[in-house]
Amino acid sequence: MKVYTGRGDEGMTDLRDMTRVSKTGHRIEAYGTVDELNALLGTVRPTGYDDVDEVLELVQNHLHIVQADLANPDPDEDDPQIRDEHVDDLEDWIDTADEELDPLTSFILPGGSESGAKLHHARAVSRRAERRVVALAGEESVNESVVAYLNRLSDALFVYARLVNARDGVPEESPTY
């Protein structure tokens, strides 16, 4: 498989069903933002914590499923799709990580250790990806589990940023108003 085809040189690309669409369309923007999130998560690993890295690797694989799901406007049952089980996985991982943390009593400033700060950045990109998918869903049919997954993923990335920072001994800072 060649990396280049030239088919996109005029601002068009193919969806999974080979429909040609503009690269500026909401569907392309949505899965492109998910791609950006996935690449950003790649800069986080290794965090220095095997359990966190294992979850992030699974999340990166899930994000490939999200992209495939979004690139396919009319999926068949055997096509890659995010399912409720993927959302359940995120919730389980959040609950497990949260057990190790002090209760959150106020907003916190994003930052901390290198990995913690990158996870906070990834959380913000996850929120943007969710907004892009919600915008797409306002125009076209979208798998509802994708929206739920991205919503829960931003929560997970927040918790994992807190966890990595706590393990690294970096105190949380609250904003001053």
Side-chain angles (χ1 to χ4, degrees), residues 21-176:
V21 297
S22 170
K23 289 183 177 183
T24 63
H26 284 139
R27 186 172 293 278
I28 306 308
E29 182 63 29
Y31 73 70
T33 305
V34 173
D35 184 38
E36 178 185 354
L37 172 59
N38 205 345
L40 182 56
L41 287 176
T43 71
V44 177
R45 292 191 308 128
T47 62
Y49 303 102
D50 289 344
D51 59 333
V52 175
D53 292 343
E54 289 170 13
V55 167
L56 293 177
E57 181 181 3
L58 290 167
V59 166
Q60 285 190 282
N61 281 289
H62 289 177
L63 290 175
H64 271 280
I65 298 169
V66 170
Q67 287 177 262
D69 199 330
L70 290 171
N72 194 352
D74 189 26
D76 293 327
E77 192 167 312
D78 60 340
D79 286 330
Q81 294 180 52
I82 286 295
R83 305 198 186 286
D84 291 341
E85 295 80 36
H86 295 106
V87 177
D88 294 342
D89 287 343
L90 285 173
E91 291 175 352
D92 290 343
W93 298 333
I94 291 168
D95 292 342
T96 298
D98 206 35
E99 289 174 2
E100 193 174 323
L101 296 169
D102 292 333
L104 192 62
T105 59
S106 68
F107 288 107
I108 61 170
L109 297 175
S113 67
E114 184 175 353
S115 292
K118 286 180 179 180
L119 284 162
H120 276 296
H121 184 185
R123 173 196 50 80
V125 174
S126 182
R127 286 281 188 219
R128 180 161 34 91
E130 178 188 2
R131 290 190 303 271
R132 298 297 189 265
V133 172
V134 168
L136 173 63
E139 297 177 349
E140 301 180 43
S141 177
V142 172
N143 176 357
E144 292 177 4
S145 293
V146 168
V147 177
Y149 184 86
L150 292 171
N151 181 279
R152 212 70 82 251
L153 178 57
S154 61
D155 296 334
L157 294 172
F158 176 77
V159 170
Y160 277 97
R162 291 188 68 217
L163 179 64
V164 167
N165 283 334
R167 289 180 180 178
D168 286 346
V170 178
E172 294 178 338
E173 299 173 349
S174 296
T176 56

Side-chain angles (χ1 to χ4, degrees), residues 6-27:
R7 288 181 49 80
D9 291 352
E10 295 182 12
M12 300 292 284
T13 192
D14 297 318
L15 297 178
R16 186 153 160 50
D17 65 1
M18 299 310 292
T19 303
R20 298 286 289 164
V21 297
S22 170
K23 289 183 177 183
T24 63
H26 284 139
R27 186 172 293 278

